[in-house]
Amino acid sequence: MPFTRIAIRADKPAPYRKALAQGIQRALVATFNVPEDDIFMSITEHDEGSFFYGKHYLGIERSDDLVLIQLTVTNSRNEAQKKALYAQIVENLANDPGVRREDVFINLVEVLKENWSFGNGIAQYAT
């Protein structure tokens, strides 16, 4: 059960935000074998005074359309799956809603299966 946080600059229209979520979810389904309805995402929008990033860090030219993506997942995927996920997210978001590849920043946080709870007071392990 991945949990995804997406941070973007403010004032993006609803279809743009929806396309971000859908593109990330499609990548998770394709590369991490996540069920299609296993979707837990939040998008936060930030004004100029609360959105900071290195515009030229590591020689990558980023714009104010930067999309920060943090995925929390179980630590059950190998390196090839992770690389495939990163590539698929970038591809999906480039196609729709048209995010420049340089403006996709992904952070993967891996946790143990026993660190998940589904709100019923009993830990149930995600796949």
Side-chain angles (χ1 to χ4, degrees):
M1 181 190 90
F3 175 62
T4 306
R5 295 174 190 233
I6 305 162
I8 57 176
R9 286 289 300 267
D11 299 324
K12 297 292 185 187
Y16 179 92
R17 295 189 310 269
K18 185 175 182 178
L20 290 176
Q22 289 175 335
I24 295 166
Q25 182 66 12
R26 284 194 316 275
L28 286 164
V29 169
T31 62
F32 273 23
N33 301 315
V34 170
E36 288 186 28
D37 66 340
D38 183 356
I39 181 168
F40 296 89
M41 296 188 186
S42 66
I43 298 176
T44 56
E45 295 183 274
H46 305 273
D47 62 24
E48 182 180 357
S50 61
F51 194 75
F52 305 98
Y53 60 93
K55 289 192 178 219
H56 312 288
Y57 182 67
L58 295 177
I60 300 170
E61 299 298 318
R62 296 173 186 85
S63 75
D64 284 342
D65 289 325
L66 180 68
V67 177
L68 301 174
I69 302 165
Q70 184 177 48
L71 292 146
T72 303
V73 300
T74 58
N75 62 343
S76 59
R77 275 66 177 216
N78 62 39
E79 185 177 342
Q81 287 174 297
K82 294 172 194 176
K83 287 181 178 181
L85 174 69
Y86 302 149
Q88 191 65 61
I89 289 173
V90 169
E91 181 70 22
N92 289 354
L93 300 187
N95 289 333
D96 185 25
V99 179
R100 294 173 58 243
R101 296 171 191 282
E102 299 86 356
D103 285 333
V104 179
F105 181 95
I106 303 167
N107 172 239
L108 188 66
V109 178
E110 296 179 293
V111 298
L112 300 172
K113 287 184 178 184
E114 59 266 23
N115 289 342
W116 293 98
S117 171
F118 296 90
N120 62 3
I122 300 171
Q124 297 176 351
Y125 300 143
T127 56

